[in-house]
Structures are given as C-alpha cells and as structure tokens.
Amino acid sequence: MKYIINKDQMTPKERMQAFGQGKETDRIPCSPFLGESVAQTFGHTIYDYNHSVDVLVDVAVKSFETFRPDSIGFGPGLQGIPEAMGSGVVFTENNTPYISKPAISDYSEIGKLKPVDVYKDGRIHYFLEALKITNDKLSNEVGVGTSVGGPFTLASFLRGTDKFLRDLTKNKEMAHELLEISTQSVLNYIDAACDIGLSPGLAEPNASCTMISSKNFEEFAKPYLKRCMDRIVERTGGGSTLHICGKTKKIWGHMVDIGISNLSLDNVDDIGELKEAYGDKVCLIGNVDPVETVMRGSIEDIYTKAKECIIKGHDSEKGFILSTGCDIPIGTDPQKIIALMDAARIFGSNKININEL
C-alpha cells in the first residue's frame, strides 16, 4: 500500500511550542525513546557512549539530524547514580550496562551512603557536560531534555532489588531511610539539570505494578516521586514526564497526583483507556511496542500500530505525543525508527481527518 508522507511544515521546536500552547500544529508530535540504543548506528559502542562526552554529543546530534524527533535527550540512565554511590556496574561493548553488585549488603552499612555529588561522583558529570553542549548545538531547532531514575529504583539498586522488595514488608523503617538518601541524590541531579536550563523527566521501572502492589507504590514510591516532581515544578514552572515500565493501570491515579504534566505509557497497557481515565489531566505519551513492532516488525506493522495509537490518543484533552512504550532496542534498523516518525506524518498530519482513519 502506498502512503503519503506529508512534509514537516514546522521545526520540532516550533511544533512543540505550539503544541504546549494548545495551538494547531502541522502534525502530531513524535518522540521515540532513543539514547544509547542508537549509538551503533552512528559508529559508536555502547561502552564509549557511557564514557565519552564527545560520543554522547555526537549520538544526540546525529539522532536529531537522522530521525528528526520532536525532542532529544539523554541522561545517566538507571545505573549512573547507583554506580556513583558505590554499586557495581558492568559495561560490555554493545549491551546495556547492568548492576552487578549493590552498594550495601546490609543496613549496617547505610552510614557509608551519601547523597551523590553530581559534579564529582561517578560518570554523571559526563552527561551534564554533554547535555549542555548538545543544548547549545540544537536548541534553536529542538528541545533538549534529560531523564533520571527515580528514588525507588535507585534505592533498589543500592540495596539489591530482591532484598529491597522484601524490606517493604519486613524492614519498612530502613527502606524509608534508604529512600530519603536516594531521593536527595535524585534531587541533586534535578537541580544540576535545571541549572543548565533543562527540565528533567523521571523513570521509575522498579515501582511498576509488575514489581510491587499499588499499596506499596502509594507508601514507598509516590511520596518520594512527588518531592522530585515538586522540585521540577519549583525550578521550571511546570511538571515534566514520568515513565514507569510494565503494567501501571492500578496506579495511574497516583502517577497523576504526583504533579506530572506528561504520562509516558508502556505498551503493555492501553493508551485509549488512559485517555478516558486521565486524558483531561495529563498529556499522554506512547505507546508503540518497541520490540515486537519497531525492532521485529515490518514497516507496514509499524504504520499499523502507530495508526492505532494515533486513533486512540489524538483527541486527548491535554494532548498526545506518539512514542514507543519503552526504549528502542539496541540493534534496531534505523529505517524502522524513521518509519515511526513517518507514521506521524502519514496519519497525524493536520491535512487529514484522523477521525476518518
């Protein structure tokens, strides 16, 4: 089947400024999760991506030039702050880094944990320096952002996820003490990002309903996320984005209560249901399957699934941004990413009546 790929009439910056003001745009915004996933596309290893300011900048700039997403950004990932606070991280040449050893094996060691100094500890200063350079290079055309793991996920990586999840029942007091330390570390990164003019988003994968109950989310994740979002609002004048991997339907209300402006939805949930429940409260982001559809599917599959998301989300009261439900997998054909962007031009253009798709 032949499709009309309508040419963009606005720059990403113009589009997102109009979108934020509730004005008409040339098409629905589209911002797939990129970052380190596309480092190899531009001739870099994942290892180098995580250890070089020059590589971080090069991947970000070339990602924008190649894919033209409506936002560009990166950050220390889920491993950056835990590593800076003493957790072991394994870096292979071309796979996502992973936590190999928690910073503490027992709460008797909690005294050695200090909130991270983002300018001195670990690799975090690489990301901040690269973000500043990237913003200087691209800010005339596209908004540059950053994201950081939330307090709950950070605490689980400092303690060991299995142990920390047991602590929610068996050692609540110490779990909260650890969360206080992790929250301060996240706040330190938020402040540093705001200092260079960025609005950071939050990712909290270990607090999904796949991992914990909604009751535990309300007690152990929500209050600390709210403190982080409150700081973002204080520093930037508005809320930002929260992404939680896995199933989140039972905690959508709690996520909205945190004060976010944008709720990024994993592909395991239905964005149409989210629209009906909270589309009048927050902008929706999502939620094409990055693995089965974008990486493993055909171009036609990508168009079909993106079209389904657009039909469900395009008329959401607070706005809708087409994206993936999580990170684009490492090794994805760049033409597949371009296809997702083109889907917004085909099915989300202001030249067509989306209600008639």
Side-chain angles (χ1 to χ4, degrees), residues 8 29 31 42 55 92 138 167 171 194 223 229 240 254 272 284 294 300 311 318 355:
D8 289 350
S31 294
F42 305 112
V55 172
T92 59
L138 296 180
D167 292 339
N171 206 346
C194 292
M229 195 56 63
S240 65
H254 293 312
L284 313 184
V294 180
E300 188 68 32
I311 290 171
K318 292 294 184 179
N355 292 317

Side-chain angles (χ1 to χ4, degrees), residues 1 6 34-35 66 69 79 105 108 133 137 176 184 198 207 217 223-224 247 257 270 272 294 300 314 352:
M1 184 174 179
N6 296 287
L34 300 174
T66 303
Q79 303 84 16
S105 58
S108 62
I133 295 169
K137 286 177 175 287
H176 281 295
Q184 187 57 56
L198 306 184
F217 182 90
Y224 302 100
K247 292 184 178 295
D257 287 346
D270 189 316
V294 180
E300 188 68 32
H314 76 279
I352 65 172

Side-chain angles (χ1 to χ4, degrees), residues 202-272:
L202 300 171
E204 195 71 290
N206 288 4
S208 79
C209 296
T210 310
M211 301 281 284
I212 62 173
S213 67
S214 57
K215 180 179 178 182
N216 276 340
F217 182 90
E218 186 174 10
E219 179 177 352
F220 294 99
K222 182 178 180 179
Y224 302 100
L225 280 169
K226 187 170 191 322
R227 282 165 55 183
C228 293
M229 195 56 63
D230 285 347
R231 180 65 63 86
I232 293 168
V233 172
E234 176 189 337
R235 293 295 310 272
T236 69
S240 65
T241 301
L242 173 62
H243 179 83
I244 299 181
C245 300
K247 292 184 178 295
T248 54
K249 184 176 180 179
K250 293 180 181 179
I251 57 171
W252 288 346
H254 293 312
M255 294 170 71
V256 171
D257 287 346
I258 287 162
I260 60 175
S261 292
N262 314 305
L263 196 160
S264 173
L265 190 68
D266 191 290
N267 49 276
V268 299
D269 280 328
D270 189 316
I271 203 158

Side-chain angles (χ1 to χ4, degrees), residues 104-113 151-152 155-156 158-159 163-183 219-220 224:
I104 59 172
S105 58
D106 186 86
Y107 279 121
S108 62
E109 301 175 292
I110 198 170
K112 75 179 186 181
L113 291 177
F152 187 93
S156 69
L158 294 171
R159 168 75 166 130
K163 288 182 179 179
F164 185 67
L165 294 182
R166 287 197 294 270
D167 292 339
L168 306 187
T169 302
K170 298 183 176 182
N171 206 346
K172 293 186 175 186
E173 183 178 345
M174 293 309 297
H176 281 295
E177 186 171 337
L178 181 58
L179 282 161
E180 288 289 341
I181 298 169
S182 67
T183 299
E219 179 177 352
F220 294 99
Y224 302 100

Side-chain angles (χ1 to χ4, degrees), residues 132 135 144-146 190-200 235-236:
K132 187 176 186 305
N135 194 41
V144 175
T146 186
I190 288 169
D191 281 337
C194 292
D195 285 345
I196 57 174
L198 306 184
S199 178
R235 293 295 310 272
T236 69

Side-chain angles (χ1 to χ4, degrees), residues 79-90 99-104 113 154-160:
Q79 303 84 16
I81 295 181
E83 178 195 23
M85 295 178 69
S87 293
V89 176
V90 171
I99 303 291
S100 59
K101 183 181 179 181
I104 59 172
L113 291 177
L154 172 54
S156 69
F157 287 162
L158 294 171
R159 168 75 166 130

